[in-house]
Amino acid sequence: MEIKDIKTFGALKKAGIKSKSIKDELRDNLIQKIKQKATTFEGVYGYEDTVIPELERAILSRHNINLLGLRGQAKTRLARLMVNLLDDYIPVVEGSEINDDPYRPISRYAKELIKEKGDETPISWLHKSERFAEKLATPDVTVADIIGDVDPIKAAHLKLSYADDRVIHYGMIPRANRCIFVINELPDLQARIQVALFNILQEGDIQIRGFKLRLPLDIQFVFTANPEDYTNRGSIVTPLKDRVGSQILTHYPEDIDTARQITQQEAKLVESQKKMVIVPDLARDLLEQIVFEARKNDYIDVKSGVSARLSITALENLLSTAERRALLSGDKITTVRLGDFIGIIPSITGKVELVYEGEQEGAVAVAYNLIGEAVKSLFVQYFPKVEKLQKQNEEGPYDDVVSWFFNQKEGFELLDDVRDKQYKSVLEAISPLDDLLGAYQPNLSQQDTYFVKEFVLWALVEFKLLSKYRISKGLQFKDPYGSFISGI
């Protein structure tokens, strides 16, 4: 017999199906997953040894949970994934506004229906996907929204007195009985609204307009909060914090490989883009390194955080920049160039909070600075370190490349929208680059070679061995001292 074929309370009892609280449900299903060594929170990377074990311990402890962390740290995603730890279906009294358990009814409607019909009480089934409710805390949220209020229209329609508890219209929390209820950005919730949660969390009763209802609601609460909000907009009142069993600190990815996994999973890329645009591994690493640089940059407010959404939208912009270039030039397939990283600047400027010095510098200048710092950081992982002081007559690994530029009287230009064939031929003209890559990166794939060549040029600019200028349709590279010596 299929579980959904059970339509009455009597048939439910006959089938031997018992109910349990949502916290026990989460706990029991988590225990099974742990025993089976199954992944409990699919698609969340970088938390395997930190956040997820703490979250599992909180669920095993049957705690309400507060996830505390900066923006873009997958707090809401974790809360939503908890739905996977629920049973597939649970029985509810049919027609109940608050998902009454037929074994333990709490609403007047369910109690009277069971009293009247007994084993013939109709039963419906609630799927786990419907057992998740979420509310973004905003200053305009009222007690009526989340707890409930007296409904004068219902009173008039049913011809009831305001003294009758049937005139109550339940808010979001009672309607989320036997569900996971998430309040995002908890500090934004006004203090008086937070106070309204006290009894629900601890004693299990609610008060609506003078009605004191004993409603032992069965809810798994998950709150999310940003520590920066504590000073900017509000705070979590102390008695409410005291009633939350576990506070779990989230964090940003700690290495580039993890950050790449997250970006690749979350970026919304069109299939035609993926086929048209080849992205070298170094380009993907550079994209993530820009975000790492932003999180420690003096121009950026680190307390505000730099969201993982920056690298996600930057990857989308990067591919779109290369795609647009290929469409304009007529190339059917193209490879990302370092010059295409200019296209990710709108993704950076909209997602970082600048300190005063950063505002003075300008958001675009800060974005260019981040790209440059990321190039410098990664360069030393692929090529020898550029020494500031070099012994006289001692040859450095980059001397031949710099000398090549010294002999270019008119400078060397890399234009933005040229076809791939022309782009490659321009880079191939710098013969010392082939020797450099052969010596230090001999195993490079053909499709990555040209990106790495351009990467070397950008890095030598950052280390002051070359200079770079923005011209109307691209970039010009020069020897920084050649112009002074030649008088140009």
Side-chain angles (χ1 to χ4, degrees):
M1 185 181 184
E2 287 286 331
I3 192 170
K4 291 178 71 178
D5 292 335
I6 298 172
K7 302 294 184 183
T8 65
F9 188 22
L12 187 71
K13 290 190 284 188
K14 189 176 180 181
I17 297 172
K18 300 292 183 184
S19 62
K20 51 189 171 185
S21 74
I22 187 170
K23 288 184 168 69
D24 285 331
E25 206 178 315
L26 289 164
R27 173 184 160 83
D28 292 348
N29 290 328
L30 175 60
I31 287 171
Q32 289 304 313
K33 278 191 174 285
I34 292 173
K35 284 181 177 178
Q36 294 163 7
K37 299 195 181 332
T39 303
T40 48
F41 293 89
E42 290 280 356
V44 176
Y45 303 108
Y47 285 171
E48 294 83 358
D49 301 318
T50 53
V51 175
I52 288 175
E54 291 189 0
L55 192 51
E56 290 176 345
R57 287 193 286 268
I59 293 169
L60 293 172
S61 301
R62 302 166 74 248
H63 283 174
N64 292 314
I65 298 163
N66 182 27
L67 296 170
L68 183 65
L70 296 173
R71 65 174 94 170
Q73 292 185 350
K75 300 186 292 295
T76 304
R77 175 182 281 268
L78 286 170
R80 290 174 179 170
L81 287 172
M82 284 177 65
V83 170
N84 295 328
L85 295 174
L86 296 172
D87 292 341
D88 287 340
Y89 289 94
I90 59 166
V92 299
V93 176
E94 194 172 275
S96 167
E97 291 182 88
I98 59 173
N99 304 323
D100 275 288
D101 182 348
Y103 289 103
R104 287 186 291 274
I106 60 175
S107 72
R108 176 170 173 169
Y109 165 82
K111 287 176 181 176
E112 290 183 350
L113 187 64
I114 291 173
K115 185 177 179 180
E116 177 191 342
K117 298 196 173 185
D119 284 353
E120 294 305 311
T121 302
I123 298 299
S124 60
W125 294 89
L126 192 65
H127 189 256
K128 63 183 179 183
S129 62
E130 300 175 86
R131 297 177 62 196
F132 180 87
E134 187 175 351
K135 179 63 180 169
L136 176 63
T138 53
D140 62 334
V141 173
T142 65
V143 173
D145 292 334
I146 62 170
I147 308 295
D149 204 348
V150 170
D151 186 350
I153 297 174
K154 185 188 283 189
H157 180 68
L158 299 175
K159 297 180 181 178
L160 295 171
S161 160
Y162 281 1
D164 193 313
D165 62 6
R166 284 174 291 180
V167 302
I168 291 173
H169 173 78
Y170 292 113
M172 291 186 70
I173 290 178
R175 289 175 181 274
N177 185 37
R178 303 174 72 198
C179 299
I180 296 169
F181 191 83
V182 178
I183 298 182
N184 282 314
E185 310 303 340
L186 183 61
D188 281 351
L189 205 61
Q190 290 184 38
R192 64 185 180 84
I193 313 297
Q194 293 185 37
V195 169
L197 298 175
F198 290 178
N199 277 20
I200 296 173
L201 286 171
Q202 195 69 45
E203 288 79 18
D205 57 31
I206 62 174
Q207 295 181 29
I208 299 174
R209 295 283 183 181
F211 289 103
K212 184 173 182 181
L213 303 174
R214 181 65 185 166
L215 282 183
L217 296 171
D218 181 23
I219 297 176
Q220 171 67 56
F221 280 99
V222 181
F223 305 105
T224 73
N226 186 328
E228 177 68 3
D229 292 341
Y230 282 29
T231 53
N232 278 1
R233 298 196 290 269
S235 63
I236 303 175
V237 297
T238 305
L240 181 59
K241 286 176 71 175
D242 186 52
R243 285 166 166 79
V244 178
S246 292
Q247 178 169 282
I248 297 170
L249 303 180
T250 58
H251 57 83
Y252 289 122
E254 294 172 350
D255 58 78
I256 282 181
D257 288 341
T258 303
R260 273 182 59 170
Q261 273 186 296
I262 295 168
T263 302
Q264 191 62 35
Q265 174 181 274
E266 298 301 320
K268 295 178 176 62
L269 303 174
V270 181
E271 200 58 39
S272 60
Q273 274 184 327
K274 294 180 187 177
K275 291 178 180 177
M276 177 183 272
V277 181
I278 298 165
V279 187
D281 281 343
L282 178 55
R284 293 184 187 276
D285 287 349
L286 183 61
L287 196 72
E288 303 301 339
Q289 187 64 39
I290 289 167
V291 183
F292 278 71
E293 295 296 333
R295 289 177 185 146
K296 61 183 182 182
N297 191 276
D298 291 339
Y299 291 132
I300 294 171
D301 184 1
V302 293
K303 290 188 292 183
S304 180
V306 178
S307 169
R309 298 182 192 95
L310 194 160
S311 55
I312 295 164
T313 54
L315 178 61
E316 293 165 353
N317 256 350
L318 182 64
L319 263 74
S320 296
T321 305
E323 180 187 34
R324 179 181 178 274
R325 171 173 51 72
L327 291 170
L328 287 170
S329 64
D331 286 325
K332 291 184 178 179
I333 296 177
T334 189
T335 302
V336 164
R337 305 171 188 172
L338 225 163
D340 294 332
F341 274 73
I342 304 304
I344 75 169
I345 287 174
S347 295
I348 300 173
T349 55
K351 286 188 170 56
V352 294
E353 296 289 332
L354 302 179
V355 296
Y356 176 76
E357 292 82 359
E359 295 286 359
Q360 297 297 107
E361 192 76 11
V364 173
V366 170
Y368 276 108
N369 176 265
L370 292 176
I371 295 171
E373 289 299 317
V375 168
K376 281 176 71 174
S377 296
L378 286 185
F379 184 71
V380 293
Q381 297 178 27
Y382 290 82
F383 295 95
K385 184 180 177 182
V386 177
E387 299 294 344
K388 290 183 179 179
L389 297 175
Q390 196 170 305
K391 292 179 182 177
Q392 194 173 8
N393 299 325
E394 182 183 4
E395 286 192 12
Y398 310 109
D399 288 355
D400 289 345
V401 177
V402 174
S403 297
W404 188 92
F405 280 90
F406 181 81
N407 295 320
Q408 299 298 306
K409 292 183 179 180
E410 296 181 359
F412 170 83
E413 293 181 354
L414 269 179
L415 302 181
D416 293 336
D417 296 330
V418 295
R419 299 193 69 165
D420 269 21
K421 187 176 181 181
Q422 185 181 346
Y423 168 78
K424 290 176 181 178
S425 67
V426 169
L427 283 172
E428 284 168 356
I430 313 174
S431 52
L433 280 178
D434 292 320
D435 298 332
L436 186 69
L437 267 60
Y440 299 105
Q441 293 296 323
N443 299 320
L444 270 180
S445 66
Q446 186 65 30
Q447 68 183 29
D448 289 1
T449 298
Y450 296 97
F451 182 86
V452 177
K453 284 184 176 183
E454 190 179 358
F455 175 73
V456 170
L457 300 184
W458 281 57
L460 295 182
V461 169
E462 294 300 322
F463 287 107
K464 313 299 184 191
L465 297 181
L466 295 177
S467 58
K468 172 167 63 73
Y469 305 94
R470 184 74 195 170
I471 57 177
S472 60
K473 292 187 177 180
L475 296 170
Q476 185 181 67
F477 293 85
K478 284 185 175 183
D479 173 77
Y481 309 109
S483 59
F484 294 107
I485 295 171
S486 63
I488 296 174

